Amino acid sequence: MKNLEGKTTLVSGAADGLGEAIAARLASEGARVAVLDRSAEAIERSSSRPEMSGVHFEQVDLSDADRITAAMTRLQEAGFAFDILINNAGGSLHTPRAFVEETDEDWARVMDLNVTAAVRLTRAVIPGMVERGYGRIINLGSKAGRYGSLFTGANYVAAKGAVQSMTLQLAQEFGPHGVTCNAVCPGAILTPRVERLLSERQSPEERAGVLASIPVRRHGRVEDVAAAVAFFASDEAGFITGQLLDVNGGQGMAS
Ligand SMILES: NC(=O)c1ccc[n+]([C@@H]2O[C@H](COP(=O)([O-])OP(=O)(O)OC[C@H]3O[C@@H](n4cnc5c(N)ncnc54)[C@H](O)[C@@H]3O)[C@@H](O)[C@H]2O)c1
């Protein structure tokens, strides 16, 4: 039997990047998977990939409360009752790194997608998890949220810090109901988007310096993150909650 046979999973922002790899990994382990994503183009591309066959896609802008409510209603009507939630949608949205250049609007956009969307999705699925006495919530934190960043700004670092702290509190509150909550905190993962951004913002010498600061001497892959998420999502991880797991090749460590 596959690890996640019989489990139903929701993954946000998952028609591309890390989320897509997570959705594909959970589907390969037997889970029934639903994906929420804003981009029609990404959904079209992703839904044609063999590893995403059988995955259900809903197009929704997760910065919009009403659209989240409507999407969750559609999913409920389609018979989805979620055992596992992956709050993956997020990012720095390419807002300025310099603190004084980040506007209120930049802060609001980054907070809305990284924090508020996760709050709304969690609020939508957690009553069902409590009723059934079982749930796995996995949030995407970041090395930036754990240790700060030379690359993204204070708004993103603060947003991921909030997601990580919320993880601890959800673990406290819902542990007695059979629901665990953990966070996976990746370092730079070389998706095509990050690859493009790094080559725009760093010289080859700077890039070599970054690589030398990673003990395993390679950048992360989407599969590294998907594997960590799959572990937290499994039945076997039932005694682990409120944990922030660094997936960064040792570039940031805490004891
Ligand atoms: N890529 C990295 O190196 C890295 C490192 C640390 C943490 N993370 C975190 O991992 C998560 C995924 O990162 P990524 O780089 O794969 O993301 P990404 O920017 O590549 O986006 C992935 C998907 O999210 C969708 N999306 C974006 N905005 C949306 C919205 N408003 N509503 C619905 N869908 C939306 C996009 O259409 C895309 O398909 C984020 O939370 C990010 O902060 C990423």
Side-chain angles (χ1 to χ4, degrees):
M1 182 168 147
K2 292 179 175 176
N3 230 357
L4 297 176
E5 202 90 52
K7 297 291 194 299
T8 301
T9 304
L10 181 63
V11 193
S12 68
D16 204 350
L18 273 62
E20 186 184 40
I22 292 165
R25 169 73 192 247
L26 300 181
S28 79
E29 298 208 13
R32 183 185 185 207
V33 178
V35 158
L36 303 174
D37 203 287
R38 178 180 59 177
S39 164
E41 197 189 321
I43 289 176
E44 194 183 334
R45 192 178 53 241
S46 183
S47 57
S48 68
R49 295 185 57 191
E51 53 274 51
M52 298 296 271
S53 73
V55 171
H56 178 100
F57 289 84
E58 286 285 335
Q59 191 187 353
V60 55
D61 183 347
L62 291 162
S63 301
D64 184 317
D66 293 339
R67 289 179 195 197
I68 291 179
T69 305
M72 295 309 291
T73 304
R74 287 197 298 277
L75 286 169
Q76 195 183 15
E77 286 168 1
F80 285 90
F82 294 106
D83 308 293
I84 301 166
L85 168 66
I86 319 296
N87 282 312
N88 167 78
S92 64
L93 305 181
H94 303 188
T95 55
R97 178 169 176 265
F99 178 70
V100 291
E101 289 172 17
E102 288 178 346
T103 63
D104 285 356
E105 201 217 344
D106 292 330
W107 273 84
R109 283 174 54 227
V110 167
M111 287 300 192
D112 274 359
L113 184 61
N114 287 273
V115 185
T116 314
V119 170
R120 289 177 175 143
L121 292 177
T122 304
R123 205 161 45 208
V125 304
I126 220 163
M129 291 177 173
V130 168
E131 204 178 300
R132 293 185 293 279
Y134 184 93
R136 297 275 185 273
I137 298 171
I138 298 114
N139 295 326
L140 265 289
S142 170
K143 177 170 166 282
R146 298 269 282 153
Y147 308 104
S149 174
L150 295 172
F151 195 65
T152 56
N155 53 7
Y156 179 67
V157 171
K160 288 305 190 189
V163 167
Q164 291 158 200
S165 296
M166 181 172 75
T167 300
L168 314 189
Q169 187 61 21
L170 292 175
Q172 284 278 355
E173 192 172 337
F174 294 99
H177 302 281
V179 179
T180 66
C181 184
N182 294 287
V184 171
C185 303
I189 305 297
L190 285 193
T191 61
R193 185 186 60 78
V194 171
E195 177 69 53
R196 205 170 46 246
L197 214 60
L198 287 176
S199 54
E200 278 166 22
R201 294 190 182 178
Q202 291 177 333
S203 67
E205 294 72 30
E206 284 168 328
R207 295 197 65 176
V210 170
L211 203 56
S213 74
I214 303 175
V216 304
R217 294 291 187 276
R218 69 167 176 85
H219 287 289
R221 305 178 185 122
V222 292
E223 293 80 9
D224 295 319
V225 177
V229 170
F231 171 64
F232 279 140
S234 70
D235 275 345
E236 287 168 312
F239 198 55
I240 302 172
T241 196
Q243 302 304 306
L244 311 177
L245 179 63
D246 288 325
V247 179
N248 63 29
Q251 198 184 17
M253 303 184 196
S255 69

